[in-house]
Each structure stands twice: as C-alpha cells, then as structure tokens.
Amino acid sequence: MLDWKWVRDNRGALEGALQRRRMDVDVQSIYNLDQERRMLQQEADNLKAKRNEASRNIGKMKQEGADPAPVVEHMQEVSEKIKGIDTRLKELEESWREMLLWIPNIPHSSAPVGENENDNVEVKHWGHMPEFHYTPRPHWEIGEGLGILDFERGAKIASSRFAVLTGQGALLERALIHFMLDLHTRRHGYLEVFPPFMVNSSAMTWTGQLPKFAADLYHCQDDLHLIPTAEVPVTNLHAGEVLPNEALPLFYTAYTACFRREAGSYGKDVRGLIRQHQFNKVELVKFTHPDTSYQELETLLSDASRVLELLGLPYRVVTLCTGDLGFAAAKTYDIEVWVPSQGTYREISSCSNFEDFQARRAGIRFRDERGKLRFVHTLNGSGVAVGRTMVAILENYQQEDGTVTIPEALRPFMAGVERIIPREGVV
C-alpha cells in the first residue's frame, strides 16, 4: 500500500507510474471518495463541536433556572444527524481503503520502461550450455524413462498438473531442499523457519496477494488459504510489530510447499513440472533499513544465484521492465535457468524489493537512529524453486543412455548417488 498523503499530493507521478506499468486503475474514483470522506468528516467534527458546546450551555441553563428543553430537542436531532454521517463515513472509509489496495507499487527509477517480458533487460550470463550429439529430451520424458516421475498417477489421485515423485526422484527433491537450506543458513546467514502452509485473509492482503490475485489462490474454510509462496507467512511474522533498529537487517529462509491455481496460465506448460498446482520452494525474505534495501537486493540476487552456480546450471539474470513488474514490487530481478529441450531460459527465481509497500499494509515498523517510527523495507526471492531446479538438472545433466548425472555439490545430500539409472520393476 502506498502512503496516501503521497498519493494525494502526487497525482501526476502516480498516473505516470501506472502508465509505465501498463495498469488501469480508477484513480479518479479514489480521489472522489477521499474528498467526500474528508468533507463528511469535517461536517461531523463541526456538529460534534456544536453538540459539546450545547451540552455546556444546557448545564448553565439549568443552573440559571432556564428551560433547556428546546436546546435538548435540537441536540437530539443533531446527534441523529451525526450518527447518520458516522455510518456513511464508515462505508466510505471501507470502500476507499478497498480501492487503495488495488493501487500497485511505484516502480523504482532503475526499472526499465517496457510493455511486457520482451522488454526485460538482460544483465548477466553465467555458465556454459551443455552440448548434445542428439536432440535433448524433455524432463518429463527423462523422468518417466527413469521411473522417477509419474504424471498419470498424479492426475488420478488429484488432477492434471500434479505429479508423483518416486525412488530417486523423491530423493532428488528432498536433497535439493536440504542443499538449499543448508547453503542459505550455513553460508549466507539466514535464519530457517518452518511456517504454516495456510494463512488467513489478512496475511494475504498484507503481502499483496489479496484482493488482486484472489482467482489464483486456493481458498479453504475458516478464512484460510493455502499459501502460494513462503513469502506470505514469513513476511507476516512481524506484522504489527515495531522492530529495534539494531535488529535490522533480518534474514529468513523457509522451505514450504506452494499452491497455485494457475488460473491465468491459459494452457501454458501443461506437460511436465514447470507449472504445477503444488510445488516446493525455498524462499528468502529480508527486513531491512530503507537506506540499505537496494544493496540487500543485490546480495539477495547473489545468494539465490549461488544455488545454480554450485549445481553447475547455466542461467541468466534479467531486470523486469515496468510492464512485467509484479504488483507489489518496486524492482525485480528474474533468474532464468537454461532448459535444453526448449532451447531457452525459464524463470527459476524472482528477487524483489517491495520497499515499504508490504510493510505499510502489514504495519511492520522500526524505530530509527533518531527514535522516529518508520516502515521497514521488505525483500524476497526464491532460493530457489525446487521443481524447476529438478527440471534443469534432468535436462542439463541427461546422458544419451537415458541416465542423469548428479551434480557433485548435491551428491552428499543424496547418500553419494552419482547417477540416476532406470528403476527396476517400474510399473
């Protein structure tokens, strides 16, 4: 959520930001509601002041033996009017705040201006693409041939876009989670947390998933939602809190399963593990001082990239343009891993600085060096998506005989397994 005082005083800047984002928000209605709200509030304040003055006069009239009945009767009418205004004010306040939730964050000045993903700017390449003397097979074909991926049974017990991992496929998934958490806690200084996989509507609203992305969430009973990412519960750990200045920055990492309806995917990636309704992810979340948040974004990007470097997976980094920027983000880097069967890079992590957008919604503040209360800046990034890392390993390390070599850095987490071979007795 943006600072309303800034929004009210900088309409031109807001409309310019919305234009750069290629987003249509009914700004005029928001300003109209605010104007009506302020006018009614002023009217209510004036009437309450008159009522207070009349109350004092009624006391004096009684002391002087005058009949206060006409004044009392008039004040009853005033009280009823105040009651009506207060009711309308509450309705306006709710509508106004609801509309504010639809205003996205302001893009950082360094975010390139563009229409869509085609205008994202590449800033880094790492690694060498593997060379094959045959046409590289897609990961679903490799996994099914090895007997470690079963999409048919995933669909049977759930629906399409679910998979069952078996044998060394399940081991590989578990090893990747362990490897990532070990790296981020032992070498990058993050504190591991294991949060709930369900959160309430308030938590979803505070991080920006609601109301805009309601269609992409799995809604449960009792005002609970399955989380689309660990960003939601971990960022909300400090909702409503005032953090001491000396505690910043705070770094958290968390493994969770993630759940997304993929309502807007329109048939994209219907095969394989790229776009599943349930997938695993290791997330990185930072709470920082506003003065250092962009330095921390660069470190966050480095921490997430290190996962792929240790696994020997080629990747590139792009800066998202304003038209492709996420709703709550001010600036985002996407890390994209090389997928040989598709001959392209695919996103495996988004590292974003939300500045104070989420903190303002969630009420996460700190007391700075001068004792002033300010909102923290929040950042997060995947460190990284586990399923997509499996995709990259299966495809980049595939062998012509159908086996898959395990990256050396991962072998200690797989009981020393160096190669995945077809599982005997596959049915």
Side-chain angles (χ1 to χ4, degrees):
M1 178 179 289
L2 299 178
D3 177 6
W4 175 247
K5 185 179 184 303
W6 182 92
V7 172
R8 190 169 57 205
D9 297 341
N10 296 273
R11 180 166 181 172
L14 172 63
E15 291 178 339
L18 292 173
Q19 185 177 13
R20 292 195 302 276
R21 275 184 165 274
R22 309 303 190 258
M23 290 188 69
D24 186 20
V25 177
D26 188 359
V27 173
Q28 185 60 53
S29 292
I30 300 174
Y31 283 103
N32 289 345
L33 279 175
D34 179 57
Q35 185 176 14
E36 184 180 357
R37 182 179 68 93
R38 287 191 291 158
M39 289 174 60
L40 278 177
Q41 185 64 63
Q42 184 64 53
E43 183 179 356
D45 290 344
N46 290 339
L47 289 173
K48 289 173 183 178
K50 289 181 180 179
R51 185 175 61 182
N52 292 338
E53 183 180 358
S55 296
R56 290 191 293 270
N57 289 336
I58 288 170
K60 291 180 181 179
M61 292 173 70
K62 288 180 178 179
Q63 289 176 358
E64 296 170 356
D67 182 11
V71 178
V72 171
E73 183 177 352
H74 178 60
M75 284 303 101
Q76 288 175 342
E77 295 175 1
V78 170
S79 293
E80 284 300 314
K81 190 172 183 180
I82 291 172
K83 184 178 179 181
I85 292 174
D86 285 345
T87 299
R88 177 60 180 154
L89 268 174
K90 183 178 180 181
E91 294 171 353
L92 282 174
E93 186 81 17
E94 290 175 355
S95 298
W96 174 68
R97 290 193 177 278
E98 174 69 19
M99 293 190 75
L100 282 180
L101 293 176
W102 288 88
I103 301 178
N105 204 353
I106 303 299
H108 189 261
S109 59
S110 64
V113 177
E115 295 279 344
N116 52 45
E117 61 183 12
N118 297 321
D119 297 321
N120 294 339
V121 177
E122 183 178 297
V123 295
K124 180 182 179 181
H125 253 106
W126 186 91
H128 300 284
M129 301 172 187
E131 296 182 2
F132 298 97
H133 302 294
Y134 59 94
T135 301
R137 294 180 290 275
H139 66 277
W140 60 82
E141 183 179 314
I142 298 168
E144 289 173 334
L146 291 170
I148 62 173
L149 282 179
D150 194 330
F151 296 100
E152 288 188 9
R153 288 189 171 100
K156 178 174 67 175
I157 60 178
S159 74
S160 60
R161 300 201 182 194
F162 286 89
V164 176
L165 306 179
T166 57
Q168 292 186 338
L171 175 60
L172 177 57
E173 183 91 355
R174 175 160 51 93
L176 283 168
I177 294 169
H178 190 178
F179 165 72
M180 294 177 195
L181 289 174
D182 190 77
L183 173 67
H184 296 314
T185 56
R186 293 177 180 268
R187 296 173 61 176
H188 295 157
Y190 291 79
L191 176 66
E192 183 179 354
V193 296
F194 189 68
F197 291 3
M198 302 175 77
V199 296
N200 56 39
S201 294
S202 293
M204 285 289 194
T205 302
W206 292 334
T207 48
Q209 276 70 30
L210 287 177
K212 184 171 177 59
F213 301 107
D216 211 30
L217 302 175
Y218 281 105
H219 307 277
C220 305
Q221 296 177 330
D222 305 319
D223 188 41
L224 291 173
H225 311 262
L226 292 173
I227 61 170
T229 166
E231 168 199 347
V232 181
V234 178
T235 302
N236 282 295
L237 286 175
H238 294 297
E241 297 181 13
V242 176
L243 303 173
N245 181 55
E246 59 271 17
L248 299 178
L250 292 172
F251 301 161
Y252 294 108
T253 185
Y255 151 73
T256 65
C258 305
F259 306 88
R260 299 181 187 177
R261 293 187 60 232
E262 298 290 352
S265 60
Y266 304 113
K268 296 178 182 177
D269 301 308
V270 292
R271 296 196 68 180
L273 296 172
I274 292 288
R275 201 179 297 272
Q276 295 272 287
H277 290 308
Q278 175 186 316
F279 56 95
N280 293 317
K281 192 148 66 83
V282 171
E283 195 76 2
L284 306 174
V285 175
K286 292 187 174 187
F287 299 83
T288 76
H289 192 289
D291 294 349
T292 60
S293 66
Y294 279 95
Q295 299 171 31
E296 293 293 354
L297 177 61
E298 299 299 322
T299 305
L300 178 69
L301 174 65
S302 175
D303 293 342
S305 300
R306 188 59 179 154
V307 174
L308 303 182
E309 292 170 3
L310 289 173
L311 294 175
L313 296 171
Y315 70 88
R316 70 171 187 169
V317 177
V318 297
T319 305
L320 296 196
C321 72
T322 53
D324 198 31
L325 201 59
F327 177 81
K331 183 175 183 178
T332 297
Y333 292 113
D334 268 7
I335 305 173
E336 301 176 344
V337 70
W338 178 249
V339 179
S341 71
Q342 298 180 12
T344 190
Y345 291 94
R346 299 301 302 268
E347 178 201 337
I348 197 167
S349 172
S350 286
C351 297
S352 301
N353 187 350
F354 303 101
E355 297 186 355
D356 66 1
F357 189 85
Q358 292 179 326
R360 192 175 295 276
R361 286 185 174 216
I364 309 172
R365 299 177 295 171
F366 75 104
R367 200 172 293 278
D368 70 9
E369 300 87 345
R370 298 181 301 276
K372 181 181 177 181
L373 280 175
R374 300 171 63 186
F375 290 102
V376 302
H377 279 195
T378 61
L379 301 86
N380 86 272
S382 301
V384 290
V386 179
R388 294 191 178 195
T389 307
M390 179 180 287
V391 167
I393 289 174
L394 293 179
E395 295 209 7
N396 283 278
Y397 283 93
Q398 63 177 289
Q399 306 299 311
E400 192 168 4
D401 63 359
T403 62
V404 172
T405 303
I406 298 298
E408 287 189 19
L410 199 57
R411 292 174 188 175
F413 301 90
M414 290 195 65
V417 172
E418 297 182 3
R419 192 164 57 108
I420 299 178
I421 60 176
R423 184 162 60 92
E424 295 182 2
V426 176
V427 294

